[in-house]
Amino acid sequence: MITMRPIQTLAALALLAGSVPVAAFTPVVNLIEPRGVQRGTEAVVTFVGDRLYDPREVIFYHPGITARKIEKVGDDHKRVKVSLTIAADAALGEHPMRLRCKGGVSWMRTLWVGQFPTVFEKRQDKKDLNNDFNAPQEVPLNSTVQGVADREDVDYYRVACRKGQRLSVEVEGMRLGRVLFDPYVAILDQNRFELASSDDAPLLNRDSALSLVVPEDGNYTIMVRESSYQGQPTCQYRLHIGEFPRPTAVYPPGGRPGEERKFTFIGDAAGETTTELALPNEETEIRAFARAGDLLAPSGNPVRVSSIPYYNEKEPNEGSAEATPVGEAPMVPIAFHGVISKKEDKDWFRFAARKGQKIRVQVYARQLRSPLDSYIIVRNAKDGKQIGNNDDGTQRQPDSRLDFDVPEDGEYLVNIRDQLYGSGPDYTYRIEVGPRRPAISASFPYAQRNISQKWKVISVPRGNRVAKVVNISRANIGCDIECAADGLPGGVRLDVDPAPRSVTSFPMVFEAAPDAPLEGGLYRFTVKDPKSGLTGPLKEAIHHIEVNNAGTFHTTRSERLAVAVIEKAPFEIQLEVPPVPLVRNGVMLLTARARRDEGFDAPIKVTLPWKPPGVGGPTSVDIKKGENEATIQINANGEAPVRSWRICILAEATTKRGPVLVSSRLQTLDVGEPYLGVKIEMAATQPGKNTDMLCKIEQLKPFDGNARLILQGLPHGVSASEVSITSDSKEVIFPLEVTGEARKGKHATIFCQAVVTKDGHPVTSTASPKGVLRIDPPPPAPKKPAPEKKDAPAEAAAKAAEPKKQPAKKPLSRLEQLRQQAGK
């Protein structure tokens, strides 16, 4: 049991003025207002939501913000006021956080840190006062405006500028993570001419940014709206207006750990700037911020930090003979940096590899927020023969990726261009070429489609348990997986089994002692290959905006998970597994048993969050209101691995104080071979005629006592009683009762179910492949006897004596009738 509290959890504890008699489960935070704060100041923000009883701390994912005081607002427990101190060196941009209450931890929400004071859009009675170009809202330069882009709403802000001054704007809209919102921004002069505009900036996904050099002294108006005028009251934005630099790219887009080098910021209206930056000592991805005097860009440009050595392109390199680097090709692993800067530009690079190496060529462009849509071709430098090409690496990743096996020792070429032959000074890219390296990682699956945050927090009730399923990702390796936590709240222990290489997920159960302190924080989890020592993180991806079939629009990623001990839940759940194996092609009944506190009688939804390979079962079962148990029927197919597993169940209930989730402990489930095999011989009969069906028995495992065999899948109108056999039985006959209503035809759906009793518990399996019963139609009724035959000569003479019938006259046609009349 781990009781230490991790020092990396940046939280602030606070006591409420007054006690709360009860707490509520699963607190909800929908919004933090205002949406941003200025660094180097103190601020008060309000967490808005529901069931915010007894708030204990704010859990921050990044350093730079601390909570000095937490206090409730009103008595409806829907608002909590938090006094913050923002450090002068707090990172600009997004700061994820959660509110921890006595009854749980909220979903992740974000607060944005900027360098300017915040100005609020002028509104009165929920109506804008700045939607007229001729009456805009006056704002000072170097300020941040918080506003709303409502339906068919256009907001105007006016600033006074001098000729030659840089004027930059950047909008945080979609990135605020509240709603699908595509902002559009433009800078207008006094005559309402549009000097610059931006809809989707590649650097900022769906958000907008632009900069210009002011052409003359005067007032300039910044216009903000939803790009298709389909805004709504939840379409909030933060608009940065000032003299700050706003580059669209940085070059080179990568470097090595611990390196100090010059980086060039590209795309700002005032021209390129060069800054020397010191890169961190570990492989990661950072944001490089352009600086102009004391002002920084509101958001940084991504830089990939990797230990791979690299070359920057040297122009010209438009052909194989000019490929970078000139001369001897560097051996993989190697990286290349470049810019697709002119129309129909193609950049060539060379590298060396050895026969048999499994090589991956990976482009980093869109992943580093470049507008480049890459397309690559790899060739053998000796003869120019193409080895492969690629446009989009995966369905959701437009950066190119090509895997190939090196056919022979030697030099190889890779060339890159934009798929649609686009180009520009900010079309930067990085290409990494090297052996495909093994990697492992893990993540939590979705609890509900398009809701990535549901039940992601590990909230463990005192004296109870909660289970999580972990999905495993293995790349270029097959291995067993062990999982461990680098720390947990006091009084919490983790129960988890090693996962064999054959599985892609596994369960783990957190259990809190009855007297565990009500505390929590952010904790790291590691997955490990016990054989090679390879490790990887358990990662979390929170999709703040996710639209069905359209994908995700803003995501926050972390390698630390929120874990907390919460107040006692009003029930516990137990899983009872029979002490017998679940055999292949067999079924088993599990029992979910609830232990309720007095007065709690709500229905409980029970699920099997994880099932071993080859084992199936229902999505969920319900323990009805006031009842204490339910059964869960599981089954194993014929390929289920024969071994022991541990499984658990989850139980979710909506209490008077909100929903709560608990789980059982892990219980052993053995999967084994069946005891019997049965071969059903074909039988045939007719409706209304009873018959027998012969079954030949093969004993696969010895058993004591008698076993029951039951014929299943019989057609309508046919029945059979179960029979009893012993371990010595070689065959058995089932008498079939066939009614006259039995359905005729060939019935190939019959199977034999075997039930062996072991230690007082049934072991049930499907013991046979499908058998056949043919029900034929009854034979036709006998024909009537033929009449007695007469003497043939006499019959012929009598027939000859009969008068011959004259053939009937053919009626005359109308034309023939007219001809006869004319002849007369």
Side-chain angles (χ1 to χ4, degrees):
M1 182 178 297
I2 302 172
T3 57
M4 64 178 292
R5 182 178 178 83
I7 60 173
Q8 68 267 30
T9 301
L10 299 167
L13 300 176
L15 296 176
L16 291 175
S19 62
V20 178
V22 294
F25 297 109
T26 319
V28 176
V29 172
N30 296 320
L31 184 65
I32 301 175
E33 279 286 359
R35 302 310 312 273
V37 293
Q38 182 183 8
R39 68 178 181 176
T41 67
E42 294 184 350
V44 177
V45 299
T46 302
F47 287 70
V48 182
D50 197 14
R51 298 192 296 272
L52 303 180
Y53 288 78
D54 201 355
R56 298 299 181 91
E57 65 176 325
V58 178
I59 300 175
F60 300 98
Y61 280 75
H62 300 325
I65 306 179
T66 56
R68 306 187 320 275
K69 186 178 181 182
I70 302 175
E71 30 185 357
K72 68 176 184 178
V73 179
D75 295 324
D76 58 0
H77 307 287
K78 296 182 182 295
R79 292 173 178 266
V80 171
K81 186 168 67 173
V82 182
S83 300
L84 300 176
T85 298
I86 304 94
D89 60 351
L92 297 179
E94 181 182 58
H95 283 252
M97 58 191 65
R98 299 178 186 268
L99 181 65
R100 184 178 70 82
C101 299
K102 183 179 179 182
V105 180
S106 74
W107 287 8
M108 179 192 289
R109 299 303 179 198
T110 60
L111 183 70
W112 288 72
V113 172
Q115 59 192 318
F116 303 136
T118 299
V119 177
F120 291 91
E121 177 187 10
K122 291 183 178 180
R123 295 169 67 90
Q124 184 175 356
D125 298 329
K126 298 183 179 180
K127 293 183 179 180
D128 289 354
L129 301 179
N130 63 337
N131 54 9
D132 184 351
F133 175 81
N134 295 314
Q137 181 175 341
E138 303 280 351
V139 296
L141 271 177
N142 299 328
S143 62
T144 298
V145 180
Q146 177 171 321
V148 174
D150 215 330
R151 185 177 180 84
E152 298 183 358
D153 180 23
V154 181
D155 295 337
Y156 295 99
Y157 302 94
R158 180 181 292 167
V159 292
C161 299
R162 302 183 310 276
K163 181 179 179 179
Q165 193 174 25
R166 178 199 285 118
L167 175 59
S168 299
V169 297
E170 179 175 326
V171 178
E172 293 156 0
M174 189 84 77
R175 289 176 293 167
L176 295 184
R178 189 174 182 191
V179 68
L180 189 66
F181 170 34
D182 184 11
Y184 176 91
V185 64
I187 300 176
L188 312 177
D189 67 10
Q190 298 178 83
N191 298 316
R192 207 168 184 170
F193 286 116
E194 190 174 278
L195 302 179
S197 65
S198 174
D199 183 1
D200 298 336
L203 175 67
L204 309 175
N205 290 322
R206 298 298 195 280
D207 284 343
S208 308
L210 52 86
S211 67
L212 57 78
V213 175
V214 175
E216 58 185 23
D217 293 353
N219 293 325
Y220 292 82
T221 301
I222 292 89
M223 177 185 71
V224 183
R225 60 174 172 84
E226 205 281 331
S227 62
S228 58
Y229 296 94
Q230 299 296 311
Q232 51 186 301
T234 53
C235 289
Q236 294 180 298
Y237 62 81
R238 279 169 45 86
L239 173 66
H240 304 285
I241 307 173
E243 301 171 84
F244 55 84
R246 182 56 282 170
T248 55
V250 63
Y251 187 83
R256 304 184 73 179
E259 184 179 29
E260 292 187 17
R261 65 155 300 139
K262 291 182 178 180
F263 289 86
T264 300
F265 291 96
I266 304 165
D268 183 70
E272 296 181 356
T273 58
T274 300
T275 303
E276 186 162 318
L277 299 175
L279 299 182
N281 293 321
E282 68 276 355
E283 291 190 338
T284 184
E285 183 180 299
I286 66 166
R287 294 293 186 270
F289 287 82
R291 178 183 291 274
D294 294 332
L295 301 180
L296 296 172
S299 54
N301 296 82
V303 175
R304 179 170 169 81
V305 182
S306 169
S307 58
I308 300 175
Y310 63 87
Y311 285 85
N312 296 331
E313 71 164 324
K314 290 188 180 298
E315 296 283 3
N317 65 337
E318 284 77 21
S320 58
E322 303 166 323
T324 300
V326 176
E328 184 178 355
M331 183 65 65
V332 295
I334 194 69
F336 305 106
H337 300 140
V339 183
I340 302 297
S341 56
K342 52 184 178 292
K343 186 177 180 180
E344 298 188 1
D345 190 10
K346 294 180 182 179
D347 291 343
W348 289 69
F349 300 91
R350 70 176 73 246
F351 61 91
R354 296 187 179 91
K355 181 179 179 179
Q357 282 186 300
K358 297 182 180 298
I359 297 297
R360 169 166 292 175
V361 182
Q362 175 69 64
V363 175
Y364 291 89
R366 292 291 179 88
Q367 295 175 79
L368 300 177
R369 308 316 315 154
S370 167
L372 174 68
D373 180 10
S374 63
Y375 177 82
I376 59 171
I377 300 177
V378 174
R379 300 180 184 273
N380 192 322
K382 182 176 68 174
D383 54 15
K385 183 178 179 180
Q386 179 173 309
I387 291 181
N389 62 78
N390 183 258
D391 176 13
D392 297 338
T394 63
Q395 183 178 1
R396 292 193 174 186
Q397 180 49 259
D399 283 342
S400 306
R401 186 180 75 188
L402 178 65
D403 294 341
F404 71 97
D405 295 346
V406 178
E408 59 180 320
D409 291 358
E411 293 188 6
Y412 294 85
L413 301 168
V414 56
N415 70 66
I416 181 171
R417 63 171 172 84
D418 185 82
Q419 170 68 8
L420 299 177
Y421 292 97
S423 61
D426 54 359
Y427 275 56
T428 58
Y429 60 85
R430 174 182 171 95
I431 306 175
E432 293 185 3
V433 185
R436 300 196 289 273
R437 296 184 294 179
I440 55 176
S441 61
S443 61
F444 288 157
Y446 275 35
Q448 185 175 334
R449 186 181 182 188
N450 292 334
I451 304 180
S452 67
Q453 298 215 55
K454 185 174 182 180
W455 298 128
K456 279 288 185 74
V457 175
I458 304 169
S459 295
V460 193
R462 276 177 166 173
N464 216 317
R465 296 149 298 280
V466 70
K468 296 294 177 183
V469 173
V470 178
N471 285 347
I472 309 168
S473 174
R474 301 180 181 92
N476 306 309
I477 189 173
C479 62
D480 296 344
I481 292 290
E482 295 177 347
C483 183
D486 291 349
L488 288 172
V492 175
R493 70 180 187 91
L494 173 62
D495 188 10
V496 60
D497 294 330
R501 62 188 301 163
S502 60
V503 303
T504 58
S505 61
F506 61 88
M508 59 182 182
V509 173
F510 298 82
E511 184 167 0
D515 59 349
L518 295 177
E519 63 179 24
L522 300 175
Y523 300 87
R524 296 184 185 274
F525 292 77
T526 304
V527 289
K528 178 181 179 180
D529 171 15
K531 186 176 180 180
S532 68
L534 179 68
T535 62
L538 201 167
K539 300 184 290 187
E540 182 176 54
I542 299 299
H543 305 306
H544 299 282
I545 303 175
E546 192 166 9
V547 179
N548 194 26
N549 297 325
T552 59
F553 292 88
H554 182 62
T555 299
T556 302
R557 304 182 188 278
S558 176
E559 294 183 2
R560 293 184 296 163
L561 308 181
V563 186
V565 178
I566 64 173
E567 67 165 332
K568 182 180 180 298
F571 70 99
E572 294 182 37
I573 195 73
Q574 297 175 344
L575 172 63
E576 296 180 3
V577 180
V580 293
L582 168 65
V583 297
R584 284 177 165 178
N585 293 316
V587 297
M588 174 182 283
L589 289 179
L590 310 177
T591 301
R593 196 179 307 280
R595 187 166 64 189
R596 300 173 181 265
D597 286 356
E598 185 176 353
F600 176 73
D601 64 352
I604 301 172
K605 179 182 177 181
V606 178
T607 59
L608 273 168
W610 180 84
K611 295 179 280 291
V615 175
T619 302
S620 65
V621 298
D622 293 326
I623 299 178
K624 296 180 180 179
K625 181 177 181 178
E627 297 184 3
N628 294 323
E629 67 178 57
T631 57
I632 307 169
Q633 180 173 291
I634 61 174
N635 59 79
N637 63 33
E639 302 298 324
V642 175
R643 57 161 293 168
S644 292
W645 307 90
R646 290 206 298 164
I647 63 173
C648 64
I649 53 176
L650 281 171
E652 178 182 348
T654 300
T655 72
K656 294 179 180 179
R657 296 175 286 160
V660 65
L661 185 73
V662 302
S663 77
S664 69
R665 293 187 173 93
L666 290 170
Q667 300 292 342
T668 300
L669 173 69
D670 294 321
V671 178
E673 295 284 3
Y675 287 91
L676 297 170
V678 177
K679 181 181 179 182
I680 302 175
E681 300 289 338
M682 189 178 75
T685 186
Q686 299 172 6
K689 289 188 176 182
N690 295 340
T691 189
D692 294 331
M693 179 164 275
L694 173 65
C695 297
K696 294 184 178 181
I697 301 171
E698 178 186 7
Q699 180 178 295
L700 304 176
K701 288 196 312 186
F703 62 91
D704 297 326
N706 294 335
R708 295 181 294 128
L709 295 184
I710 306 165
L711 274 186
Q712 303 281 15
L714 293 169
H716 174 72
V718 182
S719 61
S721 300
E722 67 177 55
V723 297
S724 180
I725 64 169
T726 67
S727 60
D728 297 326
S729 300
K730 302 299 181 185
E731 61 181 36
V732 66
I733 294 176
F734 283 93
L736 302 183
E737 295 183 7
V738 184
T739 68
E741 298 178 351
R743 187 163 59 89
K744 296 183 287 291
K746 184 178 180 181
H747 305 281
T749 59
I750 301 168
F751 64 94
C752 186
Q753 190 177 62
V755 182
V756 176
T757 301
K758 185 179 188 307
D759 299 331
H761 296 274
V763 179
T764 304
S765 66
T766 299
S768 69
K770 296 291 191 295
V772 177
L773 172 63
R774 197 182 71 234
I775 301 179
D776 301 323
K783 295 181 179 180
K784 294 181 180 180
E788 186 178 344
K789 290 186 178 181
K790 298 180 181 179
D791 182 60
E795 185 178 357
K799 189 173 182 180
E802 291 179 359
K804 293 184 179 180
K805 294 182 179 180
Q806 298 296 323
K809 291 184 178 181
K810 183 179 179 181
L812 297 176
S813 68
R814 179 60 178 163
L815 181 59
E816 290 172 332
Q817 292 175 6
L818 292 173
R819 285 175 178 171
Q820 287 184 2
Q821 290 175 4
K824 291 178 180 180

